[in-house]
């Protein structure tokens, strides 16, 4: 199917015919969760890990998974295209109530929506990107992939209006992640990323990178990173399913190292691309 076909509550429809009620709790409250799963040439990348995170997000907001993994696969498969790389966006909300009321409705069936878009290689890979550091003004459940993204949106917009690709979020002096990405830094030759917990999303790309580091004897650690330490890093990367591994070459007004994507990024990006290819051959 083409990217204009979407799945909504049991039906495949053209995007412009997919409609939900204004009383949907996703619309009224952002009462829902989502996933973004890459599909390379029709193969879902780390499907089980995305499903596991989906299940954790759902149980954190006390929603029952409407489908088991086999049923999810059955829903997603017709949307996959072997001739391109896609990102599959899926969203589940607490469904439609008869009125606007903060309390959970007694009976609703969740709204399930899936759409696809093409993954286009990130344009600024060779030159790297700029980032700003800003206070992390989000809530306490950043491990939940909630559709309620107002803080992330405001912080990302602040970065973009300063000519930057991403805002790096800082809580009590320590770096958490980007508005839509995890963060890695190379400090004293060691690849470091903040530990998992409720302050960051457990990124699938993050975990793949840690696995690659382990298998290739690249020294790494999952540890806290202060903003002061980040400012001394020789490399900073941002990672996500849609943008993969993006090198940051300027943080606030300071150029990082020689202002070019660093040597460990070159190595990791090569290993990551090879891993990706191998995952669907
Ligand atoms: N976002 N942290 C946040 C806050 C994110 O929103 C994302 C991804 C990540 C990286 O996770 P992963 O490697 O599993 O994509 C980290 C997606 C792509 C989005 O919101 O569109």
């Amino acid at each position: 199917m083409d990217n204009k076909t979407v799945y909504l509550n049991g039906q495949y429809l053209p995007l412009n015919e997919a409609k939900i009620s204004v009383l949907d709790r996703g619309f009224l409250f952002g009462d829902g969760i989502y996933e973004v799963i890459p599909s390379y040439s029709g193969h879902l990348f780390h499907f089980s890990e995305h499903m596991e995170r989906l299940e954790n997000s759902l149980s954190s907001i006390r929603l029952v998974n409407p489908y088991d993994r086999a049923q999810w696969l059955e829903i997603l498969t017709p949307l996959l295209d072997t001739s391109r790389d896609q990102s599959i966006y899926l969203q589940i909300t607490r469904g439609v109530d008869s009125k606007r009321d903060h309390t959970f409705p007694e009976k609703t069936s969740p709204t399930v929506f899936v759409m696809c878009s093409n993954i286009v290689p990130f344009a600024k890979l060779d030159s790297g990107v700029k980032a700003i550091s800003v206070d992390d003004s989000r809530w306490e459940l950043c491990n939940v992939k909630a559709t309620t993204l107002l803080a992330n949106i405001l912080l990302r917009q602040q970065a973009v209006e300063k000519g930057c690709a991403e805002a790096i979020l800082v809580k009590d002096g320590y770096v958490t992640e980007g508005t839509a990405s995890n963060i890695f830094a190379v400090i004293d030759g060691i690849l470091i990323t903040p530990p998992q917990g409720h302050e960051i999303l457990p990124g699938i790309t993050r975990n793949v990178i840690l696995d690659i580091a382990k298998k290739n004897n690249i020294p790494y650690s999952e540890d806290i990173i202060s903003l002061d330490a980040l400012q001394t890093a020789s490399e900073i990367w941002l990672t996500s399913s849609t943008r993969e591994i993006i090198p940051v070459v300027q943080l606030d007004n300071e150029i990082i190292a020689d202002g070019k994507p660093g040597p460990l990024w070159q190595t990791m990006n090569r290993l990551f691309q090879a891993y990706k290819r191998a995952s669907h051959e």
Side-chain angles (χ1 to χ4, degrees), residues 34-38 50 53 87 89 138 142 144-146 149 152 156 166 169 177-183 199-207 239-244:
Y34 74 107
E35 263 305 319
V36 178
I37 314 175
H50 281 279
R53 188 170 66 185
S87 81
Y89 174 89
R138 300 174 304 162
C142 295
V144 178
K145 208 159 169 56
L149 286 173
N152 304 56
R156 167 65 73 86
E166 182 61 299
L169 310 179
E177 58 180 343
T179 66
S181 54
N182 289 114
I183 186 165
E199 288 175 341
I200 68 165
L201 186 81
I204 308 299
T205 321
R206 172 191 180 278
N207 290 347
T239 68
S240 72
S241 293
T242 43
R243 291 181 164 187
E244 302 181 348

Side-chain angles (χ1 to χ4, degrees), residues 1-263:
M1 283 185 204
D2 60 55
N3 283 337
K4 294 210 172 73
T5 302
V6 302
Y7 173 90
L8 180 64
N9 296 333
Q11 279 186 297
Y12 295 94
L13 303 161
L15 179 60
N16 60 4
E17 286 174 27
K19 306 273 193 276
I20 57 156
S21 162
V22 290
L23 287 176
D24 192 284
R25 290 178 63 93
F27 176 68
L28 289 176
F29 297 116
D31 185 2
I33 59 97
Y34 74 107
E35 263 305 319
V36 178
I37 314 175
S39 164
Y40 300 117
S41 307
H43 296 266
L44 291 164
F45 185 67
H46 283 256
F47 175 68
S48 324
E49 286 81 357
H50 281 279
M51 282 292 120
E52 197 181 322
R53 188 170 66 185
L54 177 85
E55 280 150 20
N56 290 338
S57 295
L58 284 167
S59 68
S60 302
I61 72 159
R62 295 163 60 188
L63 260 185
V64 174
N65 197 342
Y67 306 119
D68 63 27
R69 288 188 190 190
Q71 290 170 316
W72 274 116
L73 207 51
E74 217 170 283
I75 290 170
L76 300 185
T77 301
L79 298 166
L80 307 182
D81 188 334
T82 53
S83 68
R84 58 184 145 197
D85 295 342
Q86 298 162 289
S87 81
I88 314 301
Y89 174 89
L90 67 91
Q91 171 172 335
I92 305 164
T93 79
R94 207 177 304 277
V96 181
D97 199 356
S98 55
K99 57 185 183 314
R100 180 180 179 274
D101 182 352
H102 288 63
T103 313
F104 293 175
E106 262 171 35
K107 256 198 178 159
T108 50
S109 44
T111 300
V112 180
F113 174 60
V114 186
M115 68 177 168
C116 306
S117 51
N118 286 351
I119 296 184
V120 269
F122 189 69
K124 290 191 181 153
L125 265 197
D126 292 337
S127 58
V129 300
K130 296 184 201 169
I132 53 166
S133 60
V134 288
D135 262 356
D136 191 343
S137 54
R138 300 174 304 162
W139 65 339
E140 306 261 309
L141 295 176
C142 295
N143 55 320
V144 178
K145 208 159 169 56
T147 56
T148 331
L149 286 173
L150 200 45
N152 304 56
I153 289 166
L154 291 171
L155 294 165
R156 167 65 73 86
Q157 191 61 24
Q158 221 174 302
V160 169
E161 287 172 8
K162 289 194 168 142
C164 294
E166 182 61 299
I168 293 172
L169 310 179
V170 181
K171 202 170 215 169
D172 303 325
Y174 291 90
V175 172
T176 54
E177 58 180 343
T179 66
S181 54
N182 289 114
I183 186 165
F184 284 82
V186 181
I187 300 172
D188 295 332
I190 297 175
L191 182 63
I192 309 178
T193 193
Q196 286 192 17
H198 63 84
E199 288 175 341
I200 68 165
L201 186 81
I204 308 299
T205 321
R206 172 191 180 278
N207 290 347
V208 170
I209 289 169
L210 290 176
D211 275 353
I212 293 176
K214 192 173 183 180
K215 286 191 188 114
N216 290 275
N217 299 317
I218 296 169
Y220 73 91
S221 92
E222 291 177 79
D223 205 351
I224 50 172
I225 308 172
S226 67
L227 180 58
D228 290 344
L230 189 71
Q231 284 158 345
T232 70
S234 58
E235 298 189 29
I236 300 175
W237 316 335
L238 297 165
T239 68
S240 72
S241 293
T242 43
R243 291 181 164 187
E244 302 181 348
I245 317 170
I246 304 294
V248 176
V249 293
Q250 187 178 323
L251 174 63
D252 299 319
N253 292 320
E254 299 298 321
I255 305 282
I256 297 157
D258 62 358
K260 297 196 186 101

